[in-house]
Amino acid sequence: MKLFKTIFFIVTVLTIGCTSTNKKESTVSKEIENTKPAFKYWSWYGAGVEKTDEEHKAWFKKLAQNGIDAVLIDTQADSKRLEKVAPLALEAGLEVHAWMFTINRPGDTIALQHPDWYMVSRSGKSCFDDRPYVDYYQWLSPSHPEARQHIWNLVESMAKIEGITSVHLDYIRYPDVYLPIGLLPKYNLVQNEELPDFDFDYSDAAVEKFKKLYGKDIRKVEVPAIDIEWKQFRLNEIKSVVDGAYKIAHKHGKKLTAAVFPYPEMADHMVRQRWDKWNVDAVLPMVYNNFYNEDLDWVKFASQQGIEDLKGKNTILHTGLYIPEMTAEEVANAINVVKESGASGVALFDIKEHHFEVIKASKE
C-alpha cells in the first residue's frame, strides 16, 4: 500500500509539473506570436504638382480605410513638396516613406548642367543626350564623385523631414542590361548577350576609377562581359551609394528602404544590383510576374529566394506586385501567395478601384 501511495505521489507531481511546463510553453509561444510584426501593406503614390491637398487627402483616406499601412510618396525628390504632402498622409494614419529616383535622375535640373556626370554605354552613347529604351532613362554615374554627392544631398534633404519613416531608393542600379522577357517585344529586341547600347558605365569617371583600382583600361578589353573584376566593380559602386545613403538616413533617425529587382542573383545579372550585400533596412523586390511571363508560383519562389539570401542580415523583405491588369480575385490570390512565402509584407503598385475590397478583406 505504501509503495502504491508513493508511486501515485510521484506520478501526480510529474503530471502537475508537465502541465505547468506546457502552460508556460504555450504562454511563451503566444507572447512570441503577439510580438511578431504584422504583415504590412504598402502602396506607391505619385504626388504630382497638379494635385490639390483635397485630392491627396481623399486618396490617403481611401488607402487607410482599405488596409494599406504604408505609402511611398513620389515628389520627384522635392523635399519642400514632401513637407506639405507627408502630414496629410500621416493624418490619415499611414506610415510615410519618401520615394525617389536615385541613379536614374530624369529631368534633374542640377545634374543636367554637368554632362560629365552621366553614364556612357559601351557603344559610346551618353545618357545625357542619348537614352536607352525610354526618354526618362537619364542615368548618373555612381563613379563620378560630384554626381554621387548630389544623390546623397537629395537623400539628406528627404531624411530631414519630420514624420517620415524612411527614404526609399528606386532606380538604384545600372540601366537594364537585359529587359524582362515580357517587355522585349515592346522594344523589338533580342537580348541573348550584353549588347553595347545597353552595357554601362564607360564614362571617363568610371573607366579611370576602374583603371586606378585594377590597372587596366576596360575600353580596351576584348570581351568586357566576362571580366569579373569589371562586373564586381560596378556592383560595388552601387553598394557604396546605398551604404552612404544608409548612414545619412540613420543620422537623421530615419530608415533606408529600396525597390529592387526580384532576387539578388537575378538583379546581379539584369541590372548590376546585388542587394543582399547592402546596408539597408528593408527591400521591396519588384516581383512583377507579368513582366516575366510567369505565374504566382514564381512570385513565391522569388520571394523565398530573396528571404534566403538575406539570412543573417537585418534587412526585411516585402514583396512588390504590379497589379493594374489583375482582377480582384487575382490580387487576392497574389497576396495569399506572398503571405505563404514568408515575406514581411506586400507592396501593391498601381491599385485600381476594384482591388480595394479584396485588399481590405485579405487583412481580416
Side-chain angles (χ1 to χ4, degrees):
M1 189 69 178
K2 271 188 176 180
L3 179 62
F4 173 78
K5 287 182 178 180
T6 302
I7 292 171
F8 178 78
F9 174 76
I10 292 170
V11 170
T12 303
V13 170
L14 288 173
T15 301
I16 292 170
C18 288
T19 303
S20 177
T21 300
N22 289 338
K23 284 181 179 178
K24 286 179 181 176
E25 288 177 354
S26 177
T27 302
V28 170
S29 295
K30 285 181 180 178
E31 286 176 357
I32 291 171
E33 189 176 321
N34 290 337
T35 57
K36 184 180 177 182
F39 187 83
K40 185 180 287 188
Y41 287 67
W42 304 63
S43 179
W44 178 88
Y45 176 67
V49 291
E50 74 286 354
K51 293 181 180 177
T52 65
D53 283 357
E54 291 309 310
E55 287 176 307
H56 295 319
K57 287 179 181 179
W59 188 252
F60 293 145
K61 182 179 180 181
K62 180 171 286 188
L63 291 177
Q65 289 179 336
N66 288 281
I68 300 300
D69 305 300
V71 62
L72 300 150
I73 299 181
D74 171 20
T75 59
Q76 297 183 340
D78 183 336
S79 57
K80 290 183 179 179
R81 184 152 32 117
L82 185 63
E83 274 183 325
K84 296 177 180 179
V85 177
L88 306 180
L90 291 168
E91 286 172 15
L94 296 170
E95 189 177 274
V96 175
H97 300 260
W99 184 99
M100 65 177 284
F101 279 96
T102 310
I103 302 296
N104 181 26
R105 297 287 312 147
D108 187 315
T109 55
I110 293 174
L112 285 170
Q113 297 174 41
H114 306 277
D116 59 317
W117 285 13
Y118 289 82
M119 287 196 199
V120 175
S121 68
R122 180 154 45 98
S123 56
K125 299 174 183 177
S126 172
C127 287
F128 176 73
D129 54 14
D130 196 327
R131 292 139 204 172
Y133 303 115
V134 288
D135 195 52
Y136 68 86
Y137 262 26
Q138 294 181 285
W139 299 80
L140 301 184
S141 171
S143 301
H144 197 295
E146 292 177 30
R148 178 182 295 211
Q149 187 59 54
H150 174 58
I151 291 167
W152 285 338
N153 290 344
L154 291 171
V155 170
E156 185 148 38
S157 71
M158 309 281 269
K160 288 179 178 179
I161 296 173
E162 187 177 348
I164 71 164
T165 297
S166 86
V167 176
H168 183 76
L169 308 180
D170 203 348
Y171 293 95
I172 179 65
R173 56 183 178 84
Y174 285 76
D176 313 64
V177 187
Y178 297 103
L179 283 176
I181 192 169
L183 300 183
L184 286 172
K186 179 180 178 180
Y187 298 95
N188 194 28
L189 282 171
V190 175
Q191 293 181 323
N192 294 329
E193 59 182 329
E194 295 187 5
L195 300 175
D197 281 350
F198 308 112
D199 178 21
F200 293 82
D201 172 29
Y202 295 80
S203 66
D204 290 342
V207 170
E208 290 305 315
K209 187 172 183 179
F210 179 72
K211 188 175 181 180
K212 187 176 180 180
L213 288 171
Y214 296 99
K216 54 186 169 184
D217 186 341
I218 195 60
R219 289 173 179 157
K220 295 179 180 178
V221 172
E222 188 175 352
V223 187
I226 61 173
D227 191 303
I228 300 303
E229 290 170 338
W230 176 232
K231 182 180 182 182
Q232 189 61 51
F233 168 78
R234 289 174 289 178
L235 294 175
N236 290 345
E237 290 295 88
I238 296 298
K239 173 177 165 54
S240 63
V241 173
V242 174
D243 291 354
Y246 179 86
K247 289 178 182 178
I248 293 166
H250 279 242
K251 180 179 74 173
H252 294 284
K254 307 302 194 301
K255 293 180 180 179
L256 188 75
T257 57
V260 294
F261 267 54
Y263 53 94
E265 296 84 358
M266 185 174 183
D268 176 334
H269 174 71
M270 297 185 74
V271 293
R272 325 288 190 200
Q273 183 190 66
R274 188 73 201 209
W275 48 263
D276 56 326
K277 307 295 183 184
W278 296 352
N279 287 323
V280 62
D281 296 292
V283 288
L284 280 61
M286 299 175 288
V287 189
Y288 298 169
N289 57 302
N290 45 338
F291 286 19
Y292 300 92
N293 297 337
E294 297 283 358
D295 56 22
L296 293 184
D297 286 342
W298 182 77
V299 171
K300 188 172 186 178
F301 159 74
S303 300
Q304 290 178 332
Q305 185 62 53
I307 293 166
E308 180 66 27
D309 287 333
L310 288 172
K311 275 187 176 177
K313 294 185 68 70
N314 295 319
T315 303
I316 298 169
L317 184 145
H318 305 262
T319 299
L321 298 173
Y322 184 76
I323 65 170
E325 297 170 9
M326 289 187 185
T327 65
E329 184 181 2
E330 287 170 337
V331 169
N333 291 338
I335 291 172
N336 285 335
V337 165
V338 173
K339 287 181 177 179
E340 290 170 4
S341 76
S344 297
V346 63
L348 302 167
F349 185 82
D350 205 356
I351 300 173
K352 301 302 181 186
E353 287 290 339
H354 64 279
H355 295 142
F356 280 118
E357 187 175 341
V358 295
I359 292 169
K360 185 178 181 179
S362 72
K363 292 198 76 170
E364 296 170 356

